[in-house]
Amino acid sequence: MNKTEFMRLWDIYSGILTPTQREFTDLYFNFDLTVSEIAAEKGVTRQAVSECLQTCKKQLEDLERKLGFAKNMDKISLEISLLVTKAKNWAENFKLKCPEFEQDIAKLSEILDRDYSENSSDALKN
């Protein structure tokens, strides 16, 4: 598993790891500390840090294999992307065939083109 794949699984499943596992993986993957640096900072052996990282990788892979949240998120993202693309194409074709609805199609296009990341973040906070 490469670093990007690990971090994706870590973002999804890190709450299941122990506090020590979360801390070591965070220092290693997010703060780019080496195994030696983590060991020195935490007063443990390099082997202990290395074993912890390997155990975490295995746990996260096992969780994904069993639960499939990352795979499902990919599938949902792709489906949404395809849906929006189809809707945009339909709107453009409809605008050409029925110019009298150009303002309505412009509103629809604005809705489809809008960035909803801030709205979704706010909704998740509440």
Side-chain angles (χ1 to χ4, degrees):
M1 169 184 346
N2 68 37
K3 182 177 181 175
T4 304
E5 291 167 343
F6 177 86
M7 289 312 302
R8 186 150 182 266
L9 296 180
W10 190 86
D11 286 340
I12 296 168
Y13 300 113
S14 64
I16 295 173
L17 300 175
T18 68
T20 300
Q21 288 174 320
R22 274 194 306 274
E23 182 178 20
F24 284 12
T25 53
D26 190 35
L27 291 171
Y28 185 78
F29 287 101
N30 288 326
F31 292 93
D32 292 323
L33 269 63
T34 66
V35 170
S36 298
E37 290 169 329
I38 297 168
E41 184 176 314
K42 296 299 168 186
V44 298
T45 65
R46 289 187 326 231
Q47 182 176 352
V49 174
S50 183
E51 286 175 3
C52 178
L53 294 173
Q54 291 305 315
T55 299
C56 290
K57 285 180 187 179
K58 185 178 179 335
Q59 281 180 303
L60 296 180
E61 287 172 335
D62 289 346
L63 283 166
E64 177 57 22
R65 218 176 352 270
K66 291 175 186 173
L67 302 175
F69 289 142
K71 183 179 177 183
N72 286 334
M73 287 172 55
D74 286 345
K75 184 177 183 258
I76 291 167
S77 292
L78 181 58
E79 289 171 355
I80 291 170
S81 178
L82 292 170
L83 175 68
V84 169
T85 299
K86 279 188 163 196
K88 285 180 180 182
N89 289 339
W90 178 88
E92 283 301 312
N93 289 332
F94 190 77
K95 184 170 63 173
L96 294 173
K97 291 177 185 174
C98 304
E100 65 271 20
F101 294 107
E102 187 172 344
Q103 284 185 324
D104 294 317
I105 296 299
K107 288 178 187 175
L108 174 61
S109 295
E110 185 181 313
I111 291 168
L112 294 171
D113 290 335
R114 186 169 171 217
D115 179 2
Y116 289 93
S117 56
E118 188 174 312
N119 296 77
S120 60
S121 294
D122 290 344
L124 289 172
K125 288 176 188 174
N126 299 327

